[in-house]
Amino acid sequence: LACYLLTNLPLATLLFATYATMMASLYSKAAAVLLLAASATAFVPPSSSRGVCVEPLCMNKQKKQRPKVNTNKGFGGGSSSSSTTSSALESDMLIRPKTSSNFKYAGSIRPGLQSPKRIVPSEKIKLPDYALDGQPKNRPALFPWVIETKKPEEIEKMRASGRCAREVLDLAGREVRPGITTDEIDRIVHEATIARGAYPSPLNYHNFPKSCCTSVNEVICHGIPDDRPLQEGDIINIDITCYLDGYHGDCSEMFVVGGETAADPVAKRLLQTTYDCWVKALNFVKPGNDYKDIGAIIEDHVTEQGFTTVKSFCGHGIGSVFHTNPNILHYRNSEPAGKMAAGHTFTIEPMICENGANYLMWPDDWTATTKDGGRSAQFEHTLLITPEGVEAMTGKIETSPVQFWERDSKVHTGLWLGTTPSAKEREAKLNS
């Protein structure tokens, strides 16, 4: 294409002038997401740690110091085989996260002490390119509408990593109860991931210190597991990604500490609304549809229920690279994110808030909470588009629990596995 344009300078001039005009129109919108800039800079966020950011962030990717690597025992700094719980760790082994004495937290959650990074046996586990130095090497395509189409053999590997992530997420969810710490959940996640021959994708991704994200109450996303015990009535999102045989599988789910009866009426309504808007968006996915239209489906549903959708973080393409094109915005937009096609793999993961959707970044440069302290909820699947529709590559399995929002949903009753005939067949068996 470059050679052709060089020999057809008038056409090249016209194409680039048209593109510049389109981009200028996009950048003129105060609330527009800078998709092209985000892709070109590997989703690097602004340096400010407060206020509202409108870049489409998948993970907060500010530069951090490179960790020391233990070359004798494997990657990481903790023990992946230890059965010691967080509560039993000696205080001098715990790490106090970066804080500020004058920082004003929005809600009741505060950063706790963290155990050291856990070990990954590098001689047994295939590592992603960022495992040792924290820096992902592969970047998204320059244009946000350029989306990788997976080959059949890649799809099979992603089915395996998706199944792995689902098993680990279900295992972590079963451990949610009053008194357990999120650090203990992280240990369980880490060990379960390693036992399946996979690498816990969040670990050391841009130097993230843990093997999963645990976001409690007002934490929107990227909560770092620590020694705070969960309390009855808390709502928690557990976000799991497993890197297996060179491919990532990414999913998250909400849990109520103490079960359905421990949730107050507003929490129940928030969880139900978040799940229902998510399923509506999932059902929209099929070849030929525009990725940008996902956001309006989500925003229209949640605003009708009196809630808000976060605009500062987004869903993303996924495969051998953790975060890539397309960017999935969870609010009404007109961004050029491309059209859906068979072979695309990506996530939809709306973050819905009971009050305002503006976020506050903690001094640890990872934890994002609502700015007003209101609670937030989120669900996520890794999805595969096929000629017949869409399938959840991280869909629930025979041993997965049915949550009350799945049972009571008026959008889709029971477990959701996709819209293809094969997905519907599996879904019917699980829901029978």
Side-chain angles (χ1 to χ4, degrees):
L1 176 60
C3 292
Y4 178 76
L5 290 177
L6 285 174
T7 60
N8 293 270
L9 292 180
L11 176 59
T13 302
L14 177 61
L15 286 175
F16 280 102
T18 302
Y19 177 72
T21 301
M22 180 182 71
M23 288 293 103
S25 175
L26 291 172
Y27 282 101
S28 66
K29 302 174 184 178
V33 178
L34 306 182
L35 285 175
L36 181 58
S39 297
T41 57
F43 306 97
V44 176
S47 59
S48 173
S49 62
R50 297 193 183 201
V52 179
C53 164
V54 297
E55 274 84 6
L57 307 180
C58 299
M59 296 281 281
N60 183 339
K61 300 171 180 63
Q62 291 179 343
K63 293 182 179 179
K64 301 173 180 68
Q65 292 182 350
R66 293 186 178 185
K68 294 181 179 179
V69 179
N70 185 332
T71 56
N72 296 322
K73 298 169 65 178
F75 167 74
S79 173
S80 63
S81 60
S82 172
S83 60
T84 306
T85 64
S86 304
S87 59
L89 289 170
E90 296 293 336
S91 60
D92 60 357
M93 294 176 61
L94 298 178
I95 300 168
R96 186 172 300 280
K98 179 182 176 182
T99 58
S100 173
S101 59
N102 59 0
F103 184 80
K104 294 182 179 179
Y105 293 91
S108 61
I109 303 297
R110 297 290 184 274
L113 300 177
Q114 301 167 16
S115 59
K117 284 183 179 179
R118 305 185 192 279
I119 291 174
V120 174
S122 56
E123 71 280 2
K124 298 179 180 179
I125 303 296
K126 184 172 184 177
L127 305 180
D129 62 8
Y130 55 82
L132 298 180
D133 63 5
Q135 304 304 311
K137 310 304 183 294
N138 294 305
R139 296 192 174 191
L142 177 61
F143 299 110
W145 53 83
V146 177
I147 301 165
E148 179 187 22
T149 299
K150 303 297 188 299
K151 299 180 180 67
E153 57 271 24
E154 293 179 298
I155 290 172
E156 290 309 307
K157 289 182 178 181
M158 289 197 66
R159 290 190 191 280
S161 64
R163 169 80 182 214
C164 177
R166 167 50 56 188
E167 291 177 358
V168 173
L169 178 56
D170 287 352
L171 181 64
R174 284 193 286 271
E175 298 298 324
V176 172
R177 62 184 182 275
I180 193 171
T181 66
T182 50
D183 186 83
E184 173 66 0
I185 292 174
D186 181 77
R187 181 190 66 80
I188 293 167
V189 165
H190 184 90
E191 294 181 1
T193 303
I194 299 301
R196 287 162 173 79
Y199 179 93
S201 302
L203 184 62
N204 213 37
Y205 183 77
H206 287 282
N207 298 332
F208 187 79
K210 290 296 179 180
S211 298
C212 67
C213 297
T214 52
S215 301
V216 181
N217 294 341
E218 71 266 22
V219 180
I220 297 171
C221 58
H222 308 156
I224 301 175
D226 59 27
D227 68 345
R228 176 191 180 272
L230 294 178
Q231 301 174 10
E232 184 160 341
D234 284 346
I235 62 172
I236 178 174
N237 177 273
I238 302 178
D239 194 337
I240 302 294
T241 311
C242 296
Y243 182 74
L244 180 65
D245 198 14
Y247 288 83
H248 299 273
D250 190 1
C251 55
S252 80
E253 188 170 349
M254 296 300 300
F255 301 92
V256 179
V257 181
E260 178 182 356
T261 57
D264 62 77
V266 176
K268 285 184 176 180
R269 200 162 61 83
L270 174 64
L271 293 166
Q272 190 69 64
T273 298
T274 305
Y275 178 77
D276 286 346
C277 81
W278 180 55
V279 172
K280 279 188 174 182
L282 298 176
N283 283 331
F284 173 75
V285 177
K286 66 179 181 179
N289 283 348
D290 288 328
Y291 281 108
K292 67 177 178 59
D293 293 336
I294 290 172
I297 294 169
I298 292 168
E299 184 170 26
D300 288 351
H301 183 85
V302 302
T303 53
E304 286 177 1
Q305 302 299 318
F307 298 120
T308 58
T309 179
V310 172
K311 298 182 179 181
S312 304
F313 302 91
C314 70
H316 52 91
I318 188 170
S320 60
V321 178
F322 196 170
H323 297 100
T324 185
N325 294 340
N327 292 317
I328 307 300
L329 308 184
H330 304 120
Y331 60 94
R332 185 178 295 277
N333 70 92
S334 58
E335 303 302 333
K339 286 189 177 293
M340 302 176 191
H344 289 183
T345 54
F346 63 101
T347 71
I348 299 178
E349 45 185 300
M351 290 143 273
I352 309 303
C353 305
E354 66 175 327
N355 298 317
N358 291 352
Y359 83 89
L360 177 71
M361 186 65 69
W362 280 9
D364 62 20
D365 292 330
W366 280 109
T367 308
T369 75
T370 57
K371 201 170 185 179
D372 58 20
R375 290 170 293 186
S376 182
Q378 178 187 23
F379 294 92
E380 177 184 15
H381 270 322
T382 294
L383 303 167
L384 166 69
I385 300 178
T386 77
E388 299 172 307
V390 63
E391 296 182 7
M393 305 186 88
T394 50
K396 291 197 168 182
I397 56 180
E398 298 81 4
T399 55
S400 298
V402 178
Q403 303 269 32
F404 70 80
W405 44 82
E406 295 165 321
R407 180 196 69 207
D408 298 341
S409 175
K410 292 181 173 57
V411 174
H412 180 90
T413 304
L415 305 181
W416 186 95
L417 296 183
T419 62
T420 66
S422 60
K424 286 294 184 184
E425 183 179 352
R426 295 194 308 274
E427 184 182 285
K429 290 180 181 179
L430 292 182
N431 288 327
S432 62

